[in-house]
Amino acid sequence: MYQFDHLVHFVEQPEKTLQKLQQEGFHVVSGGSHEAWGTYNTLSYFDLSYIELIGIENEEKYKEAAKQKYTLHASYEQNRRKDGLTRFAIRTQTIEEDAKKFKQAGLEVSGPEHFTRKRDDGSIVGWQLLYIGHPNAKIELPFFIQWDEEDSIRRKQLTERGILAQHPLGDLLLDAIHFVVLNFDDVEQIAKLCEAEIVKKEDLEQNAEYRIVVLGDVKLVFVKPIGEGIAWNYMIENGYGIKKAVLSGALEDKTITIDGARYEILKAAK
């Protein structure tokens, strides 16, 4: 079974973005270093789904990592190191089988490969990563992660460490990620491969078509502009990609833009 795992927000200095999000009422903590990639992170959890703020720590190691196709680092480099929401990860428990399945479907596959990260307290967290892509893909495809520990153990450990905790802004959950895309071909292929529910919609007032993919508790909302409207304006100004992240369960409604990323926060339903 596939679950949404995390959303990547590349920033210049994760520790400063951490402070900005904390001022807005988010619970955000330091993560640690990815020594092999020359990056480091800070984290904000919403149960086991989370937002990862990533920055460059070692330029030489980062540039080497960015040479590998379809990786996060390659994406950041291709986007000219533009801050903002970049990619997302899907959690799996069958990563070896996934690699074979995606390859048989005609996708290029890198991995799975095992990695570790040292936390600030010196402890080690481990996982496997699988990257997929295609030279003709119109969107950057998700990547896949399999953690060394089971979900129940991770939840317990994250809670005990204070990483997973109540947000001052409310009982926040990651509700949806919105994308603007050229077409739905890649979206529908990945949804089918992940055995995910997909809903088709059309909004004539907004001049947009939608494909909504459900991964656990998180909805991936893909929008294709078919005429002038909000999605069209975003496409003209920013190109294609992730438009915003939507969180629910807050004490108040508000929208914030921090270091290239738009977060829409919705008040909890009574």
Side-chain angles (χ1 to χ4, degrees):
M1 184 177 180
Y2 300 93
Q3 300 281 337
F4 182 90
D5 192 75
H6 68 277
L7 177 64
V8 175
H9 181 178
F10 266 104
V11 296
E12 188 173 348
Q13 294 179 297
E15 65 277 12
K16 290 192 174 181
T17 308
L18 173 150
Q19 293 172 358
K20 295 175 185 177
L21 286 170
Q22 286 178 336
Q23 289 170 3
E24 295 289 349
F26 286 76
H27 175 68
V28 195
V29 298
S30 296
S33 295
H34 309 111
E35 294 183 4
W37 303 326
T39 57
Y40 69 115
N41 65 10
T42 59
L43 309 163
S44 185
Y45 270 82
F46 313 90
D47 192 34
L48 289 184
S49 299
Y50 66 98
I51 294 168
E52 181 181 21
L53 309 167
I54 301 181
I56 298 172
E57 189 173 47
N58 183 301
E59 184 70 25
E60 185 177 337
K61 288 184 178 180
Y62 162 78
K63 284 183 176 179
E64 190 62 31
K67 293 177 182 178
Q68 186 178 349
K69 289 174 68 175
Y70 308 127
T71 62
L72 290 176
H73 320 91
S75 295
Y76 191 41
E77 200 67 13
Q78 289 164 10
N79 291 331
R80 298 181 180 180
R81 303 194 185 187
K82 181 181 177 182
D83 286 354
L85 303 175
T86 306
R87 297 275 295 279
F88 70 96
I90 295 175
R91 187 160 69 253
T92 179
Q93 296 177 330
T94 55
I95 202 163
E96 295 282 354
E97 292 84 353
D98 296 333
K100 296 175 184 177
K101 177 171 66 173
F102 296 141
K103 195 169 185 178
Q104 290 172 354
L107 295 168
E108 294 185 10
V109 173
S110 177
E113 188 174 353
H114 190 264
F115 298 97
T116 59
R117 174 174 62 80
K118 183 184 293 186
R119 298 188 179 104
D120 284 348
D121 63 4
S123 63
I124 302 296
V125 58
W127 66 92
Q128 294 183 72
L129 285 183
L130 172 68
Y131 289 104
I132 61 173
H134 193 280
N136 298 323
K138 302 302 181 185
I139 61 173
E140 290 190 293
L141 302 182
F143 61 102
F144 292 78
I145 187 167
Q146 180 169 308
W147 295 94
D148 288 356
E149 291 88 11
E150 295 180 359
D151 286 358
S152 58
I153 295 173
R154 287 184 61 234
R155 184 180 287 107
K156 182 175 183 293
Q157 291 178 342
L158 290 167
T159 302
E160 289 174 347
R161 292 176 178 275
I163 297 170
L164 202 169
Q166 177 74 26
H167 296 266
L169 189 55
D171 189 15
L172 297 182
L173 290 174
L174 191 53
D175 183 78
I177 312 297
H178 288 243
F179 306 74
V180 174
V181 297
L182 176 64
N183 60 50
F184 298 120
D185 296 346
D186 299 314
V187 173
E188 292 177 345
Q189 181 189 26
I190 297 302
K192 183 177 180 180
L193 289 169
C194 291
E195 304 168 4
E197 177 187 352
I198 185 166
V199 178
K200 300 180 180 181
K201 290 178 63 178
E202 186 173 357
D203 188 332
L204 296 178
E205 288 187 8
Q206 295 294 336
N207 277 327
E209 294 179 0
Y210 297 80
R211 295 293 185 271
I212 303 171
V213 179
V214 181
L215 281 175
D217 296 327
V218 179
K219 297 183 290 293
L220 307 175
V221 182
F222 297 90
V223 186
K224 182 181 80 171
I226 55 177
E228 293 186 4
I230 294 174
W232 179 273
N233 294 338
Y234 179 89
M235 178 194 68
I236 294 299
E237 185 175 347
N238 301 284
Y240 300 106
I242 301 177
K243 180 182 176 184
K244 64 181 178 181
V246 180
L247 299 112
S248 60
L251 300 173
E252 58 178 316
D253 289 332
K254 65 177 179 177
T255 299
I256 59 175
T257 300
I258 292 179
D259 295 337
R262 179 181 173 90
Y263 295 102
E264 185 175 302
I265 297 108
L266 305 178
K267 189 176 181 179
K270 292 183 179 180

